[in-house]
Amino acid sequence: MGRHIWGNAAGALILAATVAAASGCSSSSDEDTAKPAATAKTPSVQEATTAFQAAVTKFDTDGGCLEQEPDTCWEQMQALMKPARDLRKAANTNKETGPDFWSDAYALIDTMEDGIAVGKDQGVPAGGVTNRVDVLGSAHKLSDWLDDNPVA
């Protein structure tokens, strides 16, 4: 019987410790000085457009993707995707234009996302489909769209 009571008491202590740890209970005195996580500032549409256009220009002036083999262009694809995502965030917060204005741009960014979702550069297979067209082709179309649809 003594073992049974000891087992229940130990179990209750372990359960209490687990609940306290899971609920964030801490005996640390740093709780009062904890700072909230910093949130990233969403760029303005003008800043995001400039950054995206600069990324496309850099891609072009650096020579684009010269190699046809897979996994030789992933970094460049990622370098174009980041400012495209920032542009989408900026467009979402822009009060001067609505979603209808951005619908074509959103579609191009979505196509870029589909290409990136593959998780690697597929290269340029002979007669095959590649995600480079989704990412790089759509990035250039988006750049053209931004030229044709400036937001002041």
Side-chain angles (χ1 to χ4, degrees):
M1 182 161 161
R3 250 191 270 161
H4 182 67
I5 293 173
W6 170 248
N8 286 342
L13 287 173
I14 291 171
L15 179 62
T18 303
V19 170
S23 68
C25 238
S26 172
S27 62
S28 173
S29 63
D30 291 339
E31 288 180 38
D32 296 332
T33 60
K35 296 179 183 176
T39 56
K41 176 188 173 270
T42 301
S44 70
V45 171
Q46 292 81 9
E47 293 168 335
T49 298
T50 300
F52 179 78
Q53 296 285 48
V56 172
T57 300
K58 180 175 179 1
F59 174 81
D60 290 342
T61 48
D62 287 351
C65 290
L66 302 176
E67 302 295 324
Q68 294 189 3
E69 290 78 28
D71 299 320
T72 56
C73 195
W74 186 242
E75 288 181 27
Q76 293 95 326
M77 293 165 76
Q78 293 281 341
L80 291 172
M81 195 68 243
K82 185 197 177 313
R85 289 175 177 145
D86 289 345
L87 178 62
R88 180 185 2 234
K89 287 178 193 172
N92 285 340
T93 61
N94 188 298
K95 303 293 184 210
E96 297 171 17
T97 58
D100 289 340
F101 175 82
W102 291 102
S103 62
D104 291 337
Y106 288 149
L108 290 167
I109 296 169
D110 288 346
T111 302
M112 291 175 70
E113 290 283 10
D114 290 343
I116 287 292
V118 172
K120 66 178 187 168
D121 167 25
Q122 295 177 321
V124 183
V129 178
T130 177
N131 61 335
R132 285 189 186 181
V133 174
D134 288 344
V135 177
L136 305 175
S138 295
H140 283 87
K141 288 178 184 176
L142 179 57
S143 179
D144 292 341
W145 185 90
L146 291 168
D147 287 338
D148 295 341
N149 298 279
V151 178

